[in-house]
Amino acid sequence: MTTSSIAELAVVAPLADSDSGLHFDNRFAALSSAFFTRLQPTPLPDPYWVGRSDATARLLGLDADWFASDSALGVLTGNALLAGMAPLSSVYSGHQFGVWAGQLGDGRAILLGETAANPETSGFELQLKGAGLTPYSRMGDGRAVLRSSIREFLCSEAMHGLGIATTRALSVTGSDARVRREEIETAAVVARVAPSFIRFGHFEHFTANQKEGELRTLADFVIDNFYPACRTTDRFGGNAYAAFLEAVSERTAALMAQWQAVGFCHGVMNTDNMSILGLTIDYGPFQFLDGFDPQHICNHSDTSGRYAFNQQPNVAYWNLFCLAQALLPLIGEQEVAVAALESYKSVFPSAFEARMRAKLGLEGLSEPAEGDRALIEGVLKLLAAEKVDWTIFWRRLSHHVGAANVEGAAAANAEPVRDLFIDREGFDAWLLSFSRRHAGVASDVAVRLMLATNPKFVLRNHLGQQAIELAQGTSPGAGKDFSGIERLLRLLETPFEEHPGFDQYAGFPPDWASSIEISCSS
């Protein structure tokens, strides 16, 4: 579809007249038209609020009264614009499931603008996902559906609550406009927030099309705005582009350690879904592990298991290698580009081990000991052998250490943890080693560390599905009910707190949860 035909379909959105408290800078929009197409969002009829994040609104410095207004509803659905917004969709390419896919781009995402930085807030881009056709929609319709939009909204904020680098979600709005997927569904729009939505695929696009000038412009833009230290480093003989690649590699390595430690499976780690800032981005067929299965595949579309849970760190490195190839015209020498990737191999295992030591109540409280790695590997083998629930095990272990601190190790009841295992003898042997390792650690501090590291609440698939079904009003005689989304958001924003009265959201998944199929269709 051509740009002109897109413009004919879209209705130019009027400027909203309310004071949002936002002002716009739009640095990415100052680049040339080689990087994007300017366009208007396509309005949706009769929009309504589905969910809103007050925490993200505060991050932006958004006026609270405006955020609750009909004006905000219109803007965050794509039916109106604020003064200073410069909507556009960007072009990029990428590898999908390990195969070069050619030109892709923002097929249903429209960047409204970037908020201007001020002494209270940094600059953030505000993007609508599902706001209509773009020149990059290919065979799509530019829309998103309610079920996937709710999942993305909740998971964006859940990951932030867990302390994991992520894009944020400001809101999700809905409309009864019909959208065809495997079946007829209703439309929704997610308002996403990030310092930048630039992906590995943006760089791949210009290299694949032999546009070195645009490649350099893009790299300079990202370095100057997000990686300025690369300009003054002595690394790689002062080669700023190699230093940039190394910095991205190390951020990505740290992100992978966060994912693996919390049991998060992304599901579709294509190069166009990899943030150049090391953020978790594009929440599609994701899943937090229930039982610990290292080979778990969360994406029903991933028939080869390319993006299985235990493959994520290796896939990230493969994607970084693709980024290195894209940056090679700027870096100059292949040996330098390969060297810039080398630190990933040490940063990831080091970061992962540190996160696992924190889960065990050791990180920062004692020097790493020779047996720590064996302790980590031992418990992972035990958990994998019986597919023990990942989140519940770590939370119960945290409470066991707390009880041992109060009652003494000998008196503390380990049954809540032991009950998770059929192989009691194997677990008891591990627990004995764990208890001996804790003998020289300040127990009260260790307990606080473990409870602040091992969450009580994560966005399990069945919890999301229950909230979605309430919102859809699918039960006979039921109307749309968004209370489940609001309740989950409150728990997921502070997942390490106990939240008395909400233990049912921290329990084992029901049997039917294993039948939930999540795919790339959204």
Side-chain angles (χ1 to χ4, degrees):
M1 182 171 287
T2 64
T3 305
S4 60
S5 62
I6 294 293
E8 290 167 3
L9 288 173
V11 177
V12 175
L15 293 174
D17 57 6
S18 299
D19 183 13
S20 66
L22 298 181
H23 303 281
F24 294 90
D25 189 5
N26 304 325
R27 289 176 294 177
F28 186 76
L31 300 178
S32 77
S33 60
F35 297 91
F36 52 77
T37 298
R38 296 186 185 276
L39 75 171
Q40 299 287 315
T42 305
L44 280 170
D46 304 317
Y48 48 81
W49 291 113
V50 175
R52 291 179 294 172
S53 168
D54 292 331
T56 304
R58 289 191 294 271
L59 178 71
L60 293 174
L62 202 60
D63 181 82
D65 290 335
W66 182 83
F67 190 37
S69 70
D70 288 341
S71 176
L73 176 61
V75 170
L76 297 177
T77 303
N79 292 6
L81 297 175
L82 295 173
M85 286 181 169
L88 59 86
S89 291
S90 68
V91 62
Y92 50 81
S93 297
H95 287 81
Q96 298 191 327
F97 289 90
V99 178
W100 177 246
Q103 179 176 304
L104 302 167
D106 290 328
R108 53 181 172 168
I110 296 176
L111 178 65
L112 295 181
E114 179 190 16
T115 63
N118 60 55
E120 285 76 39
T121 65
S122 302
F124 288 96
E125 291 184 345
L126 178 60
Q127 183 190 80
L128 300 184
K129 181 176 180 179
L133 283 167
T134 81
Y136 317 112
S137 296
R138 296 176 290 161
M139 300 299 291
D141 57 14
R143 292 302 185 190
V145 298
L146 182 63
R147 58 176 167 83
S148 61
S149 299
I150 290 172
R151 280 171 53 86
E152 175 146 14
F153 171 73
L154 287 174
C155 198
S156 300
E157 295 307 283
M159 293 289 268
H160 176 71
L162 290 166
I164 297 175
T166 181
T167 58
R168 301 292 299 275
L170 176 63
S171 64
V172 57
T173 64
S175 167
D176 289 338
R178 290 155 64 88
V179 178
R180 181 177 294 278
R181 294 297 181 261
E182 284 85 354
E183 57 187 30
I184 298 298
E185 304 187 50
T186 59
V189 177
V190 182
R192 307 196 296 185
V193 173
S196 174
F197 287 94
I198 294 174
R199 306 144 185 273
F200 290 12
H202 281 92
F203 297 87
E204 289 184 286
H205 175 75
F206 293 109
T207 300
N209 288 282
Q210 300 181 335
K211 295 184 177 181
E212 186 174 333
E214 287 82 357
L215 175 67
R216 188 178 301 274
T217 296
L218 180 64
D220 288 343
F221 174 84
V222 175
I223 290 170
D224 292 341
N225 286 289
F226 303 106
Y227 293 90
C230 294
R231 293 292 187 198
T232 56
T233 184
D234 293 330
R235 298 281 294 157
F236 311 106
N239 187 324
Y241 303 111
F244 167 51
L245 177 60
E246 182 180 62
V248 175
S249 298
E250 293 181 358
R251 283 198 192 185
T252 304
L255 180 66
M256 292 304 105
Q258 291 180 311
W259 286 7
Q260 300 305 112
V262 80
F264 176 77
C265 195
H266 184 276
V268 60
M269 291 176 64
N270 300 329
T271 58
D272 58 295
N273 294 335
M274 297 291 292
S275 163
I276 203 67
L277 301 185
L279 307 174
T280 314
I281 191 171
D282 291 339
Y283 292 96
F286 68 85
Q287 184 180 3
F288 287 89
L289 295 180
D290 292 324
F292 180 59
D293 177 4
Q295 296 178 312
H296 180 70
I297 302 166
C298 63
N299 181 356
H300 186 63
S301 305
D302 184 9
T303 55
S304 69
R306 176 179 177 82
Y307 299 138
F309 176 72
N310 63 355
Q311 294 301 308
Q312 292 184 139
N314 290 334
V315 170
Y317 183 76
W318 191 93
N319 289 343
L320 285 163
F321 191 83
C322 292
L323 178 63
Q325 289 180 309
L327 292 173
L328 191 56
L330 307 182
I331 293 173
E333 297 180 12
Q334 184 170 339
E335 293 79 7
V336 177
V338 171
L341 296 176
E342 192 63 25
S343 62
Y344 181 93
K345 300 174 184 178
S346 58
V347 171
F348 168 72
S350 175
F352 178 68
E353 187 169 317
R355 291 193 170 275
M356 294 305 296
R357 278 173 44 83
K359 294 177 79 66
L360 292 167
L362 299 172
E363 183 65 14
L365 305 184
S366 69
E367 292 298 318
E370 185 176 344
D372 288 354
R373 188 167 297 174
L375 200 63
I376 294 168
E377 292 174 353
V379 75
L380 293 180
K381 288 179 181 177
L382 283 169
L383 293 169
E386 299 181 21
K387 295 183 172 57
V388 174
D389 191 283
W390 180 258
T391 302
I392 290 175
F393 166 76
W394 288 106
R395 192 70 178 183
R396 287 191 182 182
L397 183 67
S398 304
H399 283 298
H400 168 70
V401 173
N405 180 49
V406 173
E407 303 168 14
N413 182 12
E415 289 307 307
V417 196
R418 294 181 79 240
D419 286 347
L420 298 172
F421 295 86
I422 297 172
D423 180 11
R424 298 293 185 90
E425 184 177 342
F427 175 71
D428 287 344
W430 180 86
L431 185 62
L432 179 60
S433 298
F434 171 72
S435 301
R436 287 171 175 169
R437 178 65 180 88
H438 260 253
V441 177
S443 296
D444 56 336
V445 182
V447 173
R448 289 197 296 271
L449 172 62
M450 293 179 73
L451 290 174
T453 303
N454 299 314
K456 180 175 180 178
F457 303 95
V458 294
L459 181 58
R460 295 178 185 262
N461 268 354
H462 75 278
L463 297 177
Q465 186 63 29
Q466 289 169 337
I468 288 166
E469 291 177 3
L470 271 178
Q472 291 172 329
T474 52
S475 300
K480 301 181 183 72
D481 183 351
F482 306 124
S483 63
I485 298 168
E486 182 179 353
R487 194 158 44 246
L488 269 181
L489 179 63
R490 185 168 68 251
L491 297 175
L492 296 170
E493 285 177 331
T494 53
F496 303 102
E497 301 296 325
E498 286 297 332
H499 293 285
F502 292 92
D503 285 354
Q504 68 270 31
Y505 292 90
F508 292 100
D511 291 341
W512 58 263
S514 61
S515 66
I516 298 174
E517 291 184 352
I518 307 296
S519 71
C520 294
S521 172
S522 59

